[in-house]
Each structure stands twice: as structure tokens, then as C-alpha cells.
Amino acid sequence: MLCRAKCSSRYFLKDVRQPASTTLPGKRKEGRLRHRSRPFGPAIPCLPSFLNWLEYKCDWNEVLAETVKVLQCGRVVAVPTDTIYGITCLAQNSEAIRRIYEIKGRNEKKPLAICVGNVEDIYKYCKVTVSDQVLRDLLPGPVTLVFKRSDELNKDLNPFTELVGVRIPKHPFIQKLAQMCGEPLALTSANLSSQTSPLTTEEFRDLWPLLGLVVDGGPVGNMMNPECRLGSTVVGLGTPGKYSIIRPGCAFAATVKILQDKHGLSLQSQN
């Protein structure tokens, strides 16, 4: 399914689950019927093994509700974030996590971050070592904070490490999505491993047939600025009073300023 943003509150919805000859009740047909017959993974209850696309106009709440429904079926979906486009699934669903690795061709030893809807949720899944104000000064925003994981988090998510990165992107769609799901989302970039991080849905078109749904919110950054593809700044906060930069990302300078100048954390030695 492809949901294309028309403006801040209206979307185009391309439904993959309707037969090609029908329309959804109460929806007005907006575009021409298009067919695809390429399989997109193992059969999942409530979803077909082929794509039929038909455009509809629907609002923000409908797109969110449909996205939640597809996630709850164990599918992987593509969504805009505040940095790049990502693919996501329910982090507590072990089979969906496995599917993300298959879709990306990702090394199974490379961890996935989680996304939550509110700062309060971080305490449930992470062992927080900084003040609540540090969390709120950095999040929502283009930053991933790495803590020791709690026992509440699915043990099949990054089973090779006791750490987990947590995000609250500053993007209204994925924030609201995480809140509606009521559990963490596993989140990574919407590209094959080692390829360029995407700023538009067209840049990962080859992945569409492997996904349960694609939400298109338009370009999420300046296509001409390479820094927009750097992704979030990843900060290690496992040691009280210290921080480490795991990935500089797109918010490096602002993040260091908050951690050092405002909260007095010191850079952890790499030795």
C-alpha cells in the first residue's frame, strides 16, 4: 500500500488488499487502476501474495489506522521520519524483525533501533542513566540514544548485545503511529544494506513489493544536501555522566552542545 501525502492532512491511499475490480466502501476513486503481480514474501493472514494498487483519497486518521492494522499483521512498513525514510515493524514481533533483516539483506549482527511515542516509554524498555531533562532536550529529534536494554524488550531483537538505541523522531506521523501501537517499533533505513539512505519513496521503489505498506509524506530533506542522508546522531549513554558518539549523523554539533554545555556530560574515552 502506498499512502501519498497531498498536504498536511490529506493522503492518497493505494490499497494492496482490495481485488482490482472493486473499490472500498465510501471511498472516491482518485486514480487509475494499476496491477503488479510480483510476490512480496511468504503468505500472511489477511494479506495477499500479490499487489493490486488502486488510489483513494483518505485522511490522516485513516492512514494511521491502516498502518497500525498492517503492522499488527506482522508486516514491515515504510514511513517518513525526521531524517530519512525508514522501514519499521513491531519490535515485540520476532517474525517481523526477521523479515526486516531479509528485506534489507542486513547483517544479523547489526542492531536495529527502536522508536517509541513518548519520553515516558523509554524507561520501560531502557535502563536510563541520564536525567529526564536530558531526554526531553534531545527528543523528539534526529538523535538515537543508546542505553542498556530492559527485560521488557523482546529478547529476539538484537540478542547479541545488552544495548539498544531508542528514538522519538520529530515527525508527527511516526510519533502518532508509535503512540497508537502502544509498543515499540523496530526502525531502520528503507534501503538495501550499504546503499544510500532514501529521502523519497521513489528511491527505494525496488523494496515496495516486499513491504506491507508504504507511507509517502513527500521528500523529508534537501535532496541537494548530502548531510540530509546521514541519518540520526547516535549517542552512547550507558555510563552515568559520560557520552560517546557512535555515529555523528545530522545533529552532531547540536547534540554535543546539549550534552556538554547544558548538562555537563563528558566525552567518554575510547581506550
Side-chain angles (χ1 to χ4, degrees):
M1 181 186 299
L2 175 63
C3 309
R4 181 175 297 279
K6 185 179 181 183
C7 63
S8 60
S9 61
R10 303 298 292 181
Y11 289 78
F12 287 122
L13 180 63
K14 299 180 195 238
D15 197 326
V16 303
R17 295 186 296 173
Q18 279 296 109
S21 60
T22 64
T23 57
L24 292 176
K27 303 292 184 185
R28 179 166 62 88
K29 184 176 177 180
E30 291 292 323
R32 62 189 178 88
L33 185 65
R34 299 194 295 176
H35 303 275
R36 293 174 67 91
S37 58
R38 180 179 172 185
F40 64 102
I44 299 295
C46 88
L47 289 172
S49 60
F50 60 89
L51 298 177
N52 288 322
W53 289 358
L54 184 59
E55 287 190 352
Y56 299 94
K57 183 181 290 184
C58 60
D59 65 19
W60 160 269
N61 290 324
E62 288 177 293
V63 175
L64 280 166
E66 194 65 35
T67 307
V68 171
K69 192 183 304 181
V70 175
L71 286 169
Q72 290 174 342
C73 283
R75 300 299 301 185
V76 176
V77 307
V79 292
T81 76
D82 53 353
T83 53
I84 56 179
Y85 271 87
I87 56 174
T88 188
C89 71
L90 297 182
Q92 304 296 74
N93 186 321
S94 300
E95 179 63 22
I97 291 169
R98 182 190 63 78
R99 189 168 289 113
I100 276 192
Y101 279 93
E102 289 181 350
I103 288 170
K104 284 181 63 74
R106 187 179 178 89
N107 185 322
E108 292 183 356
K109 295 299 184 182
K110 292 186 67 174
L112 298 175
I114 61 171
C115 167
V116 296
N118 302 287
V119 167
E120 292 79 7
D121 298 327
I122 298 174
Y123 293 92
K124 184 175 182 181
Y125 302 105
C126 302
K127 297 178 180 180
V128 178
T129 57
V130 295
S131 70
D132 189 74
Q133 192 58 52
V134 171
L135 300 182
R136 296 181 187 278
D137 285 344
L138 293 172
L139 301 172
V143 183
T144 300
L145 305 181
V146 179
F147 296 104
K148 289 185 178 180
R149 59 195 289 147
S150 78
D151 293 336
E152 292 290 328
L153 195 59
N154 181 5
K155 291 179 173 56
D156 289 332
L157 177 76
N158 311 335
F160 46 84
T161 178
E162 63 177 354
L163 304 176
V164 67
V166 60
R167 286 211 65 198
I168 306 178
K170 195 172 184 179
H171 190 286
F173 185 87
I174 192 170
Q175 273 191 56
K176 185 64 175 177
L177 180 64
Q179 292 166 9
M180 290 176 64
C181 286
E183 59 181 290
L185 302 174
L187 182 65
T188 184
S189 56
N191 60 316
L192 293 174
S193 288
S194 79
Q195 291 190 356
T196 303
S197 298
L199 300 180
T200 70
T201 57
E202 290 295 326
E203 292 183 329
F204 59 94
R205 191 183 185 95
D206 287 348
L207 297 187
W208 290 4
L210 305 174
L211 302 172
L213 178 146
V214 174
V215 179
D216 186 342
V220 295
N222 182 351
M223 300 285 291
M224 305 304 294
N225 183 357
E227 290 188 2
C228 288
R229 298 184 187 272
L230 295 178
S232 64
T233 295
V234 182
V235 183
L237 293 172
T239 303
K242 304 282 187 179
Y243 76 92
S244 61
I245 300 297
I246 299 172
R247 183 177 72 190
C250 64
F252 171 73
T255 300
V256 170
K257 184 175 179 64
I258 290 172
L259 292 173
Q260 285 191 176
D261 297 353
K262 184 171 183 179
H263 293 284
L265 275 68
S266 58
L267 182 63
Q268 189 168 10
S269 172
Q270 300 301 310
N271 297 331

